[in-house]
């Protein structure tokens, strides 16, 4: 479960409602309110005990890789080994890259290099810093590392997940795109000597639930237009699960059948309506999915 302005109370309620993970995203500068994932999840850790804590996603190219490794390892330890580290390249708002002194055109290369450094540091290996070996200490609790999710819709993100990730998580895509992208990620894993089965799929699902499907659609359209600053009508109809609980559960099932073992539900809902939608998802959507799975 994720919302753009995530709070510790949201995390506590999500755990009480039976969700398996809570997620927080980040931007440095963006057109809508967005916090920092590491800080937000650190605040969620002490008020929860069971849910996994997913950064969805950490903008890795904006961090020196050792700093990202330190923050991730610390968060994994203070949460008792519950961190799921999601990474992405960003680029939706080039201004934040300029403000951080990072050329936006280098974001892919910096992400690839950062993932390599994170992998080595999490494994306890030394990296060379101007001729001096340096190691991460303390290491994350999870061994050999916290699970790495690679977010994105591009082929580059699919291949990045195959090379260096555990989970590929697209957003604003169709179930067919999820299935095709996961195949690409697993083919890339095999090319790099990895077991393709070690790369699994997830889907970051902007969603809105309402007893009236027309209200759900309008709410999702308005929320996503405000977030992305563009007309989202075509994308919402193709890629955003909205409608009655039954309709949303059926749409989630399509993504699950396409290979998304985890659905990260991002609320395309104004702040004042989020608790009501969370309760509907917990009470009316999840049981439908669970019942269908048990009946297979």
């Amino acid at each position: 479960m994720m919302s753009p302005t995530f709070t510790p109370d949201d995390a506590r309620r999500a755990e009480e409602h039976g969700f398996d993970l809570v997620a927080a995203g980040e931007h440095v500068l963006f057109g809508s309110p967005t916090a920092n994932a590491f800080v937000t999840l650190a605040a969620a850790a002490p008020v929860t005990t069971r849910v996994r804590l997913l950064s969805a996603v950490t903008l890795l190219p904006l961090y020196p890789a050792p700093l990202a490794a330190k923050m991730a390892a610390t968060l994994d330890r203070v949460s008792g080994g519950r961190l799921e580290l999601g990474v992405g390249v960003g680029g939706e708002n080039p201004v934040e890259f300029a403000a951080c002194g990072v050329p936006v055109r280098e974001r892919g290369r910096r992400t690839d290099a950062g993932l390599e450094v994170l992998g080595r540091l999490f494994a306890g290996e030394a990296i060379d810093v101007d001729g001096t070996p340096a190691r991460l200490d303390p290491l994350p609790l999870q061994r050999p590392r916290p699970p790495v999710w690679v977010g994105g819709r591009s082929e580059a993100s699919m291949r990045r997940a195959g090379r260096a990730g555990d989970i590929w998580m697209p957003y604003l895509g169709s179930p067919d795109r999820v299935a095709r992208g996961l195949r690409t990620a697993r083919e890339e894993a095999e090319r790099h000597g990895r077991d393709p089965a070690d790369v699994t799929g997830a889907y970051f699902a902007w969603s809105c639930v309402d007893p009236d499907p027309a209200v759900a659609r309008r709410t999702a359209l308005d929320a996503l237009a405000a977030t992305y600053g563009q007309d989202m009508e075509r994308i919402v109809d193709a890629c955003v699960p909205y409608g009655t609980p039954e309709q949303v559960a059926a749409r989630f099932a399509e993504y699950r059948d396409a290979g998304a073992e985890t659905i990260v539900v991002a609320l395309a809902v104004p702040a004042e309506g989020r608790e009501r939608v969370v309760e509907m998802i917990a009470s009316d959507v999840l049981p439908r999915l669970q019942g269908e799975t048990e009946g297979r």
Side-chain angles (χ1 to χ4, degrees):
M1 175 60 63
M2 174 179 173
S3 68
T5 52
F6 191 72
T7 69
D9 281 344
D10 293 328
R12 178 181 51 77
R13 285 194 294 269
E15 183 168 81
E16 291 171 352
H17 281 309
F19 291 96
D20 293 322
L21 64 80
V22 294
E26 69 178 30
H27 279 283
V28 177
L29 302 171
F30 202 55
S32 58
T34 312
N36 175 272
F38 287 128
V39 175
T40 303
L41 295 174
V47 299
T48 57
T49 60
R50 176 188 57 80
V51 290
R52 305 288 295 175
L53 306 175
L54 170 65
S55 63
V57 291
T58 296
L59 298 183
L60 190 56
L62 295 182
Y63 289 83
L67 176 60
K70 172 61 76 173
M71 296 180 74
T74 302
L75 179 52
D76 193 53
R77 296 183 71 86
V78 300
S79 67
R82 289 186 284 143
L83 174 64
E84 306 272 329
L85 177 62
V87 301
V89 300
E92 299 93 341
N93 185 18
V95 170
E96 69 182 339
F97 279 76
C100 293
V102 176
V104 68
R105 67 182 180 277
E106 295 181 7
R107 65 191 188 279
R109 180 185 62 79
R110 289 175 64 96
T111 299
D112 290 335
L115 282 168
E116 181 181 359
V117 171
L118 260 64
R120 293 176 58 192
L121 289 173
F122 288 157
E125 297 177 11
I127 60 171
D128 182 272
V129 181
D130 296 330
T132 300
R135 288 181 170 83
L136 183 66
D137 187 17
L139 296 173
L141 284 182
Q142 297 181 84
R143 309 305 303 147
R145 66 181 186 190
V148 173
W149 301 46
V150 176
R153 297 184 294 166
S154 68
E155 183 172 336
S157 73
M158 303 167 194
R159 298 192 181 282
R160 184 171 293 119
R163 291 192 303 271
D166 302 297
I167 299 168
W168 177 59
M169 181 178 66
Y171 66 102
L172 295 179
S174 66
D176 181 64
R177 186 177 182 87
V178 171
R180 288 185 285 112
L182 187 54
R183 285 196 298 269
T184 297
R186 287 172 169 165
E187 289 166 0
E188 187 74 4
E190 191 167 23
R191 275 193 290 271
H192 284 77
R194 303 181 65 198
D195 184 346
D198 288 343
V199 181
T200 59
Y203 184 60
F204 184 96
W206 286 107
S207 306
C208 182
V209 185
D210 193 275
D212 185 337
V215 171
R217 182 178 186 274
R218 184 74 260 164
T219 301
L221 275 171
D222 291 345
L224 293 180
T227 297
Y228 291 102
Q230 65 185 67
D231 178 19
M232 300 292 289
E233 191 157 355
R234 180 185 61 80
I235 294 175
V236 162
D237 287 337
C239 307
V240 173
Y242 68 80
T244 66
E246 184 177 15
Q247 289 172 323
V248 171
R251 190 62 168 165
F252 283 172
E254 292 180 28
Y255 285 99
R256 179 200 60 204
D257 294 345
E261 297 181 12
T262 303
I263 305 290
V264 179
V265 181
L267 300 176
V269 181
E272 61 272 15
R274 285 179 190 147
E275 181 58 27
R276 182 177 69 91
V277 172
V278 169
E279 290 178 357
M280 277 194 289
I281 293 173
S283 63
D284 296 330
V285 176
L286 295 185
R288 295 174 190 271
L289 283 173
Q290 292 163 350
E292 180 183 334
T293 300
E294 291 169 0
R296 290 189 170 194

Short mmCIF file of all heavy atoms in Angstrom, two decimals, residues 48-85:
data_model
loop_
_atom_site.label_atom_id
_atom_site.label_comp_id
_atom_site.label_asym_id
_atom_site.label_seq_id
_atom_site.Cartn_x
_atom_site.Cartn_y
_atom_site.Cartn_z
N THR A 48 5.35 -0.35 13.31
CA THR A 48 4.92 -1.60 12.68
C THR A 48 5.84 -2.72 13.12
O THR A 48 6.95 -2.48 13.61
CB THR A 48 4.95 -1.48 11.14
OG1 THR A 48 6.29 -1.14 10.72
CG2 THR A 48 3.99 -0.43 10.63
N THR A 49 5.38 -3.95 12.93
CA THR A 49 6.20 -5.09 13.32
C THR A 49 6.32 -6.14 12.23
O THR A 49 7.27 -6.92 12.24
CB THR A 49 5.61 -5.79 14.56
OG1 THR A 49 4.27 -6.24 14.26
CG2 THR A 49 5.56 -4.84 15.75
N ARG A 50 5.36 -6.16 11.29
CA ARG A 50 5.29 -7.26 10.33
C ARG A 50 5.49 -6.83 8.88
O ARG A 50 6.17 -7.50 8.12
CB ARG A 50 3.92 -7.94 10.46
CG ARG A 50 3.67 -9.05 9.46
CD ARG A 50 2.23 -9.55 9.53
NE ARG A 50 1.25 -8.49 9.32
CZ ARG A 50 0.89 -8.03 8.12
NH1 ARG A 50 1.44 -8.52 7.01
NH2 ARG A 50 -0.01 -7.07 8.00
N VAL A 51 4.88 -5.72 8.49
CA VAL A 51 4.88 -5.34 7.08
C VAL A 51 6.30 -5.07 6.58
O VAL A 51 7.16 -4.57 7.32
CB VAL A 51 4.01 -4.10 6.80
CG1 VAL A 51 2.54 -4.41 6.96
CG2 VAL A 51 4.44 -2.92 7.66
N ARG A 52 6.53 -5.41 5.32
CA ARG A 52 7.79 -5.08 4.67
C ARG A 52 7.76 -3.60 4.30
O ARG A 52 6.70 -3.01 4.06
CB ARG A 52 7.97 -5.93 3.42
CG ARG A 52 7.89 -7.43 3.66
CD ARG A 52 9.08 -7.97 4.39
NE ARG A 52 10.29 -7.86 3.61
CZ ARG A 52 11.52 -8.17 4.07
NH1 ARG A 52 11.66 -8.62 5.31
NH2 ARG A 52 12.58 -8.07 3.29
N LEU A 53 8.93 -2.99 4.24
CA LEU A 53 9.06 -1.55 3.99
C LEU A 53 9.76 -1.34 2.65
O LEU A 53 10.96 -1.58 2.52
CB LEU A 53 9.86 -0.90 5.12
CG LEU A 53 9.33 -1.16 6.54
CD1 LEU A 53 10.28 -0.56 7.58
CD2 LEU A 53 7.92 -0.61 6.72
N LEU A 54 9.01 -0.89 1.65
CA LEU A 54 9.51 -0.77 0.29
C LEU A 54 9.74 0.68 -0.09
O LEU A 54 8.83 1.51 0.02
CB LEU A 54 8.51 -1.40 -0.69
CG LEU A 54 8.75 -1.15 -2.18
CD1 LEU A 54 10.05 -1.80 -2.66
CD2 LEU A 54 7.56 -1.66 -3.01
N SER A 55 10.94 1.01 -0.56
CA SER A 55 11.17 2.32 -1.18
C SER A 55 10.77 2.20 -2.65
O SER A 55 11.36 1.44 -3.40
CB SER A 55 12.63 2.75 -1.03
OG SER A 55 13.52 1.88 -1.72
N ALA A 56 9.73 2.94 -3.02
CA ALA A 56 9.18 2.76 -4.37
C ALA A 56 9.02 4.13 -5.06
O ALA A 56 7.93 4.66 -5.10
CB ALA A 56 7.83 2.04 -4.31
N VAL A 57 10.11 4.67 -5.57
CA VAL A 57 11.44 4.08 -5.57
C VAL A 57 12.45 5.12 -5.10
O VAL A 57 12.18 6.31 -5.12
CB VAL A 57 11.88 3.59 -6.98
CG1 VAL A 57 11.06 2.40 -7.42
CG2 VAL A 57 11.78 4.72 -8.02
N THR A 58 13.63 4.62 -4.66
CA THR A 58 14.77 5.48 -4.37
C THR A 58 15.39 5.91 -5.70
O THR A 58 15.69 5.08 -6.55
CB THR A 58 15.81 4.72 -3.54
OG1 THR A 58 15.23 4.40 -2.26
CG2 THR A 58 17.06 5.53 -3.34
N LEU A 59 15.59 7.21 -5.87
CA LEU A 59 16.20 7.72 -7.10
C LEU A 59 17.72 7.59 -6.98
O LEU A 59 18.43 8.52 -6.61
CB LEU A 59 15.79 9.17 -7.35
CG LEU A 59 14.28 9.39 -7.54
CD1 LEU A 59 13.98 10.85 -7.84
CD2 LEU A 59 13.74 8.50 -8.65
N LEU A 60 18.19 6.41 -7.32
CA LEU A 60 19.59 6.07 -7.07
C LEU A 60 20.59 7.00 -7.74
O LEU A 60 21.64 7.29 -7.15
CB LEU A 60 19.85 4.62 -7.48
CG LEU A 60 21.19 4.02 -7.08
CD1 LEU A 60 21.40 4.11 -5.57
CD2 LEU A 60 21.29 2.56 -7.54
N PRO A 61 20.34 7.50 -8.96
CA PRO A 61 21.35 8.36 -9.57
C PRO A 61 21.57 9.69 -8.84
O PRO A 61 22.58 10.36 -9.08
CB PRO A 61 20.81 8.61 -10.99
CG PRO A 61 19.35 8.32 -10.91
CD PRO A 61 19.22 7.25 -9.88
N LEU A 62 20.67 10.06 -7.95
CA LEU A 62 20.85 11.31 -7.20
C LEU A 62 21.67 11.12 -5.93
O LEU A 62 21.96 12.10 -5.22
CB LEU A 62 19.49 11.91 -6.85
CG LEU A 62 18.63 12.37 -8.04
CD1 LEU A 62 17.33 12.99 -7.56
CD2 LEU A 62 19.40 13.34 -8.92
N TYR A 63 22.06 9.87 -5.62
CA TYR A 63 22.85 9.58 -4.42
C TYR A 63 24.25 9.13 -4.79
O TYR A 63 24.42 8.36 -5.75
CB TYR A 63 22.23 8.41 -3.64
CG TYR A 63 20.93 8.67 -2.95
CD1 TYR A 63 19.73 8.60 -3.65
CD2 TYR A 63 20.88 8.94 -1.58
CE1 TYR A 63 18.52 8.79 -3.01
CE2 TYR A 63 19.67 9.14 -0.93
CZ TYR A 63 18.49 9.07 -1.65
OH TYR A 63 17.29 9.26 -1.02
N PRO A 64 25.28 9.54 -4.03
CA PRO A 64 26.53 8.78 -4.09
C PRO A 64 26.22 7.35 -3.64
O PRO A 64 25.55 7.16 -2.61
CB PRO A 64 27.44 9.51 -3.09
CG PRO A 64 26.82 10.86 -2.90
CD PRO A 64 25.34 10.67 -3.08
N ALA A 65 26.65 6.36 -4.38
CA ALA A 65 26.26 4.98 -4.09
C ALA A 65 26.59 4.54 -2.66
O ALA A 65 25.77 3.87 -2.01
CB ALA A 65 26.89 4.04 -5.11
N PRO A 66 27.78 4.88 -2.11
CA PRO A 66 28.04 4.47 -0.73
C PRO A 66 27.07 5.08 0.28
O PRO A 66 26.73 4.45 1.28
CB PRO A 66 29.48 4.95 -0.48
CG PRO A 66 30.09 4.98 -1.84
CD PRO A 66 28.99 5.46 -2.73
N LEU A 67 26.61 6.32 0.01
CA LEU A 67 25.63 6.92 0.91
C LEU A 67 24.30 6.17 0.84
O LEU A 67 23.67 5.90 1.87
CB LEU A 67 25.42 8.39 0.54
CG LEU A 67 24.35 9.14 1.35
CD1 LEU A 67 24.69 9.14 2.83
CD2 LEU A 67 24.18 10.56 0.81
N ALA A 68 23.86 5.81 -0.37
CA ALA A 68 22.63 5.03 -0.50
C ALA A 68 22.77 3.69 0.21
O ALA A 68 21.83 3.21 0.86
CB ALA A 68 22.29 4.82 -1.98
N ALA A 69 23.94 3.06 0.08
CA ALA A 69 24.18 1.78 0.76
C ALA A 69 24.11 1.94 2.27
O ALA A 69 23.52 1.11 2.97
CB ALA A 69 25.53 1.20 0.34
N LYS A 70 24.71 3.00 2.78
CA LYS A 70 24.68 3.24 4.23
C LYS A 70 23.26 3.46 4.73
O LYS A 70 22.85 2.90 5.77
CB LYS A 70 25.55 4.46 4.57
CG LYS A 70 25.46 4.94 6.02
CD LYS A 70 25.90 3.87 7.02
CE LYS A 70 27.40 3.76 7.04
NZ LYS A 70 27.86 2.85 8.13
N MET A 71 22.48 4.26 4.01
CA MET A 71 21.12 4.55 4.45
C MET A 71 20.25 3.29 4.37
O MET A 71 19.45 3.02 5.27
CB MET A 71 20.53 5.68 3.60
CG MET A 71 21.27 6.99 3.80
SD MET A 71 20.61 8.35 2.83
CE MET A 71 19.10 8.71 3.73
N ALA A 72 20.43 2.52 3.31
CA ALA A 72 19.65 1.29 3.17
C ALA A 72 20.02 0.28 4.26
O ALA A 72 19.14 -0.37 4.86
CB ALA A 72 19.87 0.68 1.79
N ALA A 73 21.31 0.11 4.52
CA ALA A 73 21.74 -0.84 5.54
C ALA A 73 21.24 -0.43 6.92
O ALA A 73 20.79 -1.26 7.72
CB ALA A 73 23.27 -0.94 5.55
N THR A 74 21.29 0.87 7.20
CA THR A 74 20.81 1.35 8.49
C THR A 74 19.32 1.12 8.64
O THR A 74 18.84 0.66 9.69
CB THR A 74 21.14 2.85 8.64
OG1 THR A 74 22.55 3.05 8.50
CG2 THR A 74 20.68 3.37 10.00
N LEU A 75 18.55 1.42 7.59
CA LEU A 75 17.12 1.22 7.64
C LEU A 75 16.77 -0.26 7.79
O LEU A 75 15.85 -0.63 8.52
CB LEU A 75 16.46 1.80 6.38
CG LEU A 75 14.95 1.65 6.26
CD1 LEU A 75 14.23 2.16 7.51
CD2 LEU A 75 14.45 2.37 5.02
N ASP A 76 17.53 -1.12 7.12
CA ASP A 76 17.28 -2.55 7.27
C ASP A 76 17.50 -2.99 8.71
O ASP A 76 16.74 -3.80 9.26
CB ASP A 76 18.18 -3.35 6.32
CG ASP A 76 17.75 -4.79 6.19
OD1 ASP A 76 16.55 -5.04 5.88
OD2 ASP A 76 18.58 -5.69 6.42
N ARG A 77 18.51 -2.45 9.34
CA ARG A 77 18.80 -2.84 10.72
C ARG A 77 17.76 -2.28 11.70
O ARG A 77 17.29 -3.00 12.59
CB ARG A 77 20.22 -2.38 11.10
CG ARG A 77 21.30 -3.07 10.28
CD ARG A 77 22.70 -2.66 10.74
NE ARG A 77 23.02 -3.24 12.04
CZ ARG A 77 23.53 -4.46 12.21
NH1 ARG A 77 23.80 -5.23 11.17
NH2 ARG A 77 23.79 -4.90 13.42
N VAL A 78 17.39 -1.01 11.56
CA VAL A 78 16.45 -0.45 12.53
C VAL A 78 15.05 -1.03 12.36
O VAL A 78 14.23 -0.99 13.29
CB VAL A 78 16.39 1.10 12.44
CG1 VAL A 78 17.76 1.70 12.72
CG2 VAL A 78 15.82 1.57 11.12
N SER A 79 14.76 -1.60 11.19
CA SER A 79 13.44 -2.20 10.95
C SER A 79 13.43 -3.69 11.25
O SER A 79 12.40 -4.35 11.04
CB SER A 79 13.00 -1.97 9.50
OG SER A 79 13.84 -2.68 8.60
N GLY A 80 14.54 -4.24 11.71
CA GLY A 80 14.60 -5.66 11.98
C GLY A 80 14.66 -6.51 10.73
O GLY A 80 14.18 -7.64 10.71
N GLY A 81 15.27 -5.98 9.67
CA GLY A 81 15.44 -6.75 8.44
C GLY A 81 14.21 -6.76 7.56
O GLY A 81 13.92 -7.77 6.92
N ARG A 82 13.48 -5.63 7.48
CA ARG A 82 12.24 -5.59 6.70
C ARG A 82 12.34 -4.72 5.45
O ARG A 82 11.33 -4.51 4.76
CB ARG A 82 11.08 -5.11 7.57
CG ARG A 82 10.66 -6.12 8.62
CD ARG A 82 9.41 -5.66 9.36
NE ARG A 82 9.68 -4.61 10.33
CZ ARG A 82 8.89 -3.59 10.58
NH1 ARG A 82 7.77 -3.43 9.90
NH2 ARG A 82 9.20 -2.70 11.51
N LEU A 83 13.51 -4.23 5.11
CA LEU A 83 13.63 -3.32 3.96
C LEU A 83 13.54 -4.07 2.64
O LEU A 83 14.15 -5.13 2.45
CB LEU A 83 14.96 -2.56 4.02
CG LEU A 83 15.27 -1.68 2.79
CD1 LEU A 83 14.24 -0.56 2.66
CD2 LEU A 83 16.68 -1.14 2.85
N GLU A 84 12.78 -3.50 1.71
CA GLU A 84 12.78 -3.88 0.29
C GLU A 84 13.26 -2.63 -0.45
O GLU A 84 12.57 -1.60 -0.44
CB GLU A 84 11.38 -4.28 -0.17
CG GLU A 84 10.72 -5.36 0.67
CD GLU A 84 11.06 -6.77 0.21
OE1 GLU A 84 11.27 -6.97 -1.01
OE2 GLU A 84 11.11 -7.68 1.06
N LEU A 85 14.42 -2.70 -1.08
CA LEU A 85 15.04 -1.52 -1.68
C LEU A 85 14.63 -1.40 -3.14
O LEU A 85 15.11 -2.15 -3.99
CB LEU A 85 16.56 -1.60 -1.56
CG LEU A 85 17.34 -0.44 -2.20
CD1 LEU A 85 16.96 0.89 -1.55
CD2 LEU A 85 18.85 -0.69 -2.10
#
